[in-house]
Amino acid sequence: MIPIDIRPDKLAEEMLDYTRKLGQGMENLLNADKIDTGVSPKHPVYKEDKLVLYRYDTPEGITPKPVPLLIVYALVNRPYMADIQEDRSTIKGLLATGQDVYLIDWGYPDGADRSLTLDDYINGYIDNCVDFIRESHGLDAINILGICQGGAFSLMYTSMHQEKVKNLVTMVTPVDFEAPGNLLASWTRAMDIDLAVDTMGNVPGELLNWTFLSLKPFSLTGQKYVNMVDLLDDPDKVKNFLRMEKWIFDSPDQAGETFRQFAKDFFQKNGFINGGVVLGDREVNLKDLTCPILNIYALQDHLVPPDASRALKTLTSSSDYSELAFPGGHIGIYVSGKAQKEVTPSIGKWLNERSAA
């Protein structure tokens, strides 16, 4: 057997094809349209400080269900990941199942927001948005979908305001921060959080972003650009690649006091498991959460390992708890073709079965 079989004619052909793709790619990159931040039509319905609450337009021919759905995204990165492109949009899929979708856009915190606390975000901003939607629809309770850190926020919120939440969906949500394989949690446990926040004030989004990329440095900072050559000659694929790149590096700063409390209470003290998380004058207790719960996690998630999410099962008082395991990663659960066929329709079906007016 010949260990390396490289024929000169084949090598020349591959080099020629590679050069052609690079040439076409440069043209496609130069001609790429402005990269949008979300593809589904929406309009603002409520604003407070940096926050904007959006309501998505109902597609033609769809009758929205009576109980609206509020999406609570993480403070890290931007929520248009859930609506990244026309054929890979979690929000578009939810709208197709009849969900009346609202979404909180946290905006970009600046120095004026340094002192915002978890209590401000959860019992302030989220509660105000929930009340706005409840009053707009004349309902006592609405549905909530919490994504990643937004799922942790949603768990805290629902446990303290159970009467306002009819059904809760959590996606790739960290619950047990000491679950095996959680490299990000291991790093954060070793940090001097107080020194970081006291020194920087708000925590730069760029610092957090490069921390996330460092979890898988080869695939996230090198290999993807090598693979990019194979799609450069397709204008649509180039635009989708640029959309993802824009999202990855579109990282807002984190309000200093909120970062301090979340990192210490959860990453370092594992607050959902061990207790001790206090918002305002109340302690968070997931046993106060009684509504139906759908907990969705990704089996190849390097940011929130499956065990970190599955821990939720035994922590609440819900008698209607379901899980959905997705065979993919933290981002693939929103943007992969498989997710569009399996995850989003499952959320819509689950909500519709439990959301009679």
Side-chain angles (χ1 to χ4, degrees):
M1 296 180 61
I2 302 175
I4 301 177
D5 183 14
I6 301 178
R7 291 169 44 187
D9 58 329
K10 288 293 185 182
L11 180 60
E13 183 180 328
E14 288 186 15
M15 292 179 64
L16 182 63
D17 185 54
Y18 187 85
T19 303
R20 179 190 62 78
K21 287 182 177 180
L22 285 178
Q24 184 63 52
M26 289 300 298
E27 182 178 345
N28 288 337
L29 287 170
L30 290 171
N31 292 332
D33 295 332
K34 180 180 178 181
I35 305 303
D36 42 35
T37 54
V39 296
S40 300
K42 63 184 185 297
H43 56 281
V45 293
Y46 173 80
K47 296 182 179 180
E48 181 178 358
D49 299 332
K50 306 293 192 305
L51 176 152
V52 180
L53 177 65
Y54 287 100
R55 185 181 187 182
Y56 284 84
D57 298 349
T58 300
E60 186 176 352
I62 299 290
T63 301
K65 303 301 180 183
V67 181
L69 173 67
L70 172 63
I71 297 178
V72 180
Y73 200 78
L75 300 179
V76 181
N77 290 115
R78 303 281 289 134
Y80 56 84
M81 167 52 63
D83 191 36
I84 196 75
Q85 65 188 66
E86 288 85 352
D87 59 342
R88 303 289 175 92
S89 168
T90 295
I91 287 174
K92 186 176 180 180
L94 291 171
L95 292 168
T97 68
Q99 307 311 311
D100 192 346
V101 179
Y102 291 79
L103 178 140
I104 295 176
D105 185 333
W106 298 112
Y108 296 86
D110 57 26
D113 304 303
R114 174 177 177 173
S115 297
L116 288 175
T117 65
L118 274 179
D119 184 48
D120 292 322
Y121 276 99
I122 292 166
N123 291 319
Y125 292 137
I126 293 178
D127 194 40
N128 291 342
C129 289
V130 170
D131 283 347
F132 174 86
I133 298 170
R134 289 169 59 237
E135 292 167 7
S136 298
H137 291 260
L139 297 172
D140 293 328
I142 66 170
N143 297 327
I144 290 182
L145 165 59
I147 295 176
C148 191
Q149 183 193 36
F153 280 21
S154 300
L155 287 170
M156 286 186 275
Y157 177 80
T158 304
S159 70
M160 304 180 82
H161 301 276
Q162 179 57 93
E163 74 283 357
K164 298 182 182 181
V165 182
K166 188 173 183 65
N167 301 291
L168 174 63
V169 181
T170 53
M171 291 185 73
V172 291
T173 293
V175 177
D176 182 357
F177 288 75
E178 295 181 0
N182 195 334
L183 182 58
L184 179 62
S186 297
W187 286 357
T188 309
R189 279 196 295 272
M191 283 182 61
D192 187 334
I193 302 298
D194 289 328
L195 178 61
V197 174
D198 291 344
T199 301
M200 295 183 291
N202 288 344
V203 178
E206 185 176 2
L207 172 63
L208 295 175
N209 192 52
W210 283 107
T211 300
F212 298 140
L213 293 176
S214 298
L215 293 170
K216 297 177 70 175
F218 178 72
S219 61
L220 296 180
T221 64
Q223 185 62 42
K224 68 175 180 179
Y225 296 114
V226 175
N227 295 340
M228 180 183 69
V229 175
D230 291 329
L231 55 83
L232 281 176
D233 55 352
D234 186 324
D236 291 334
K237 290 182 179 179
V238 167
K239 187 171 184 179
N240 291 336
F241 181 87
L242 293 175
R243 280 173 171 161
M244 185 62 68
E245 287 294 282
K246 179 179 177 67
W247 177 82
I248 288 172
F249 294 100
D250 190 359
S251 303
D253 295 345
Q254 303 294 294
E257 292 307 315
T258 295
F259 180 87
R260 188 198 306 269
Q261 185 178 1
F262 192 83
K264 294 176 72 171
D265 281 357
F266 292 100
F267 281 98
Q268 296 188 339
K269 298 178 182 178
N270 207 12
F272 281 139
I273 304 296
N274 298 324
V277 179
V278 177
L279 303 182
D281 58 356
R282 291 181 57 188
E283 182 172 347
V284 172
N285 186 349
L286 294 187
K287 286 297 180 183
D288 295 331
L289 202 161
T290 59
C291 68
I293 301 170
L294 173 60
N295 187 24
I296 305 170
Y297 53 88
L299 295 173
Q300 281 81 52
D301 195 333
H302 70 289
L303 289 173
V304 183
D307 286 344
S309 287
R310 284 193 289 248
L312 181 62
K313 184 175 183 179
T314 61
L315 297 179
T316 76
S317 297
S318 174
S319 59
D320 183 359
Y321 175 89
S322 306
E323 289 183 347
L324 175 62
F326 174 72
H330 192 80
I331 303 303
I333 202 168
Y334 314 111
V335 302
S336 69
K338 190 176 184 65
Q340 311 310 310
K341 297 176 182 178
E342 296 182 5
V343 177
T344 311
S346 296
I347 296 173
K349 182 175 183 292
W350 186 87
L351 286 172
N352 291 341
E353 291 172 348
R354 291 162 177 80
S355 294

